[in-house]
Amino acid sequence: MKIDSANAFQTLSGLLDDDVAAVEALLTERAASPVSVIPNLSGYIVSAGGKRLRPLITLAAAKACGATDMTPVHCLAAAVEFIHTATLLHDDVVDESDLRRGKPAAKNVWGNSASILVGDFLFARAFTLMVETGRLSVLDILSNASSIIAEGEVHQLAVMGQLDLPTEEYLRIIEAKTAALFEAASESGAVCADAPEEQVRAMQAYGKNLGLAFQLVDDALDYGGTTSVIGKSVGDDFRECKITLPIVIARRRGSADDKVFWDRALNPETQEDSDLAHAIHLIRSTGAAKDTLAEARSYVEIAKKSLQALPASPYRDALSSLADFCVDRAY
């Protein structure tokens, strides 16, 4: 069944309506604490309008692999969302971000210390939920992913200001800090369904390549994607002087004057408010945004091809269309 990519997210959510409701209930229940700042802060970010993409992938992977008992999968999906939420809380402190999903970042409401500690609390809750799945392999997958995510974030900090960052190193960073959780969410969903090894590996490949594509598209969207009108603010990565693929490509293809601009504009001590508009111009005029999205599309095609190892089902079709949606949202 062919699903329009624009409706892929809604279609997948509709297929999993009851399961999503069960996961939402778990998120609320497990974020509870007699220390009021914990449920207040965690509820603030958990309910801030995120699409629940990663837990949706976990649920869909399990269903696509024939899961019948969804109770452990609900625990797993909630754990995945708690890990993701914890990383957002920590990232906003590290990046000094003022906004998250259009709202003031939690650190701006409760402070840095509370954000970090509640992030730690959610990580702990995630591990309790993993144990409740009754599968040691799930704990292994997600604990390993958590370590890899932290390594990716530290790696990104280590290369801050390295404007000649090799593309291969950039891809290693986003594979760690973003794709690792997509991969773990998808793979562990298949494991919870007691799927055969071929299907587990297929879902692992799907998640990894979808995660790479997702981050590449996000990096292009920070400069407006391929158009000047998008549904999100632009320039957060630029203002934080993050080195992403659109910058790497644009700087590599630019003139000597362009390189001087990038070197100055990506230094927090010399960046000016007017620099973003020129950065967007250079990224579009050099084809950097277009080629970043083409790279994302190549990973989407690998992700979709991996799904062929699964039996035909509405869940497999929805996962395939979801991969298309991840790139199409940039146009």
Side-chain angles (χ1 to χ4, degrees):
M1 177 180 68
K2 178 64 176 175
I3 300 169
D4 180 9
S5 67
N7 300 317
F9 190 84
Q10 293 83 351
T11 300
L12 188 56
S13 297
L15 286 170
L16 297 163
D17 194 38
D18 291 342
D19 297 296
V20 170
V23 172
E24 292 292 342
L26 270 175
L27 291 173
T28 300
E29 174 192 326
R30 299 310 176 88
S33 167
V35 181
S36 61
V37 70
I38 293 176
N40 290 343
L41 193 157
S42 61
Y44 178 83
I45 189 168
V46 168
S47 64
K51 285 184 165 60
R52 304 283 192 265
L53 180 58
R54 293 153 190 83
L56 266 178
I57 290 170
T58 300
L59 295 169
K63 289 277 195 178
C65 292
T68 53
D69 179 9
M70 290 296 288
T71 300
V73 185
H74 297 158
C75 291
L76 174 60
V80 166
E81 184 64 10
F82 273 154
I83 291 172
H84 176 55
T85 304
T87 63
L88 296 183
L89 287 170
H90 290 168
D91 288 352
D92 284 346
V93 173
V94 171
D95 297 337
E96 301 181 353
S97 302
D98 292 326
L99 293 175
R100 169 64 64 184
R101 296 168 178 166
K103 296 170 61 175
K107 73 175 185 65
N108 284 13
V109 181
W110 284 274
N112 287 345
S113 298
S115 290
I116 291 169
L117 293 170
V118 172
D120 293 344
F121 173 85
L122 295 180
F123 265 123
R125 283 293 198 231
F127 279 85
T128 300
L129 285 160
M130 289 179 225
V131 171
E132 290 178 24
T133 68
R135 289 166 171 81
L136 186 60
S137 54
V138 162
L139 187 59
D140 181 49
I141 292 166
L142 282 175
S143 61
N144 185 55
S146 298
S147 298
I148 291 171
I149 292 165
E151 288 174 343
E153 294 291 353
V154 174
H155 192 174
Q156 185 173 57
L157 279 177
V159 301
M160 194 74 74
Q162 188 177 325
L163 301 183
D164 56 351
L165 185 72
T167 300
E168 296 75 15
E169 188 169 3
Y170 161 81
L171 290 171
R172 285 197 299 272
I173 291 170
I174 67 168
E175 182 177 340
K177 78 184 192 77
T178 300
L181 189 54
F182 277 83
E183 180 179 346
S186 186
E187 179 187 2
S188 57
V191 168
C192 249
D194 298 319
E197 185 67 17
E198 180 188 12
Q199 292 181 13
V200 172
R201 297 284 75 82
M203 292 313 304
Q204 181 185 25
Y206 172 84
K208 173 184 175 180
N209 287 287
L210 179 65
L212 286 165
F214 186 89
Q215 186 61 56
L216 284 162
V217 172
D218 257 18
D219 290 349
L221 284 173
D222 197 63
Y223 297 93
T226 58
T227 69
S228 58
V229 181
I230 60 169
K232 59 170 279 187
S233 61
V234 300
D236 285 348
D237 289 347
F238 179 77
R239 284 184 283 270
E240 293 164 12
C241 299
K242 287 183 179 177
I243 310 303
T244 60
L245 190 59
I247 288 175
V248 170
I249 295 173
R251 186 177 182 278
R252 188 183 298 150
R253 293 175 178 173
S255 66
D257 287 343
D258 292 339
K259 288 183 173 62
V260 170
F261 164 78
W262 287 117
D263 292 353
R264 180 189 61 75
L266 289 170
N267 183 330
E269 296 182 0
T270 54
Q271 187 183 95
E272 299 173 1
D273 290 342
S274 60
D275 288 338
L276 177 60
H278 189 56
I280 292 172
H281 165 71
L282 291 178
I283 282 170
R284 290 190 186 143
S285 64
T286 59
K290 180 181 177 182
D291 287 353
T292 297
L293 294 174
E295 182 82 0
R297 171 59 65 186
S298 70
Y299 286 113
V300 160
E301 293 306 317
I302 297 170
K304 290 166 62 178
K305 186 175 180 180
S306 70
L307 294 173
Q308 294 174 8
L310 275 59
S313 74
Y315 303 102
R316 188 185 75 172
D317 294 339
L319 285 168
S320 180
S321 294
L322 183 68
D324 286 326
F325 167 76
C326 281
V327 174
D328 293 345
R329 65 195 171 104
Y331 291 90

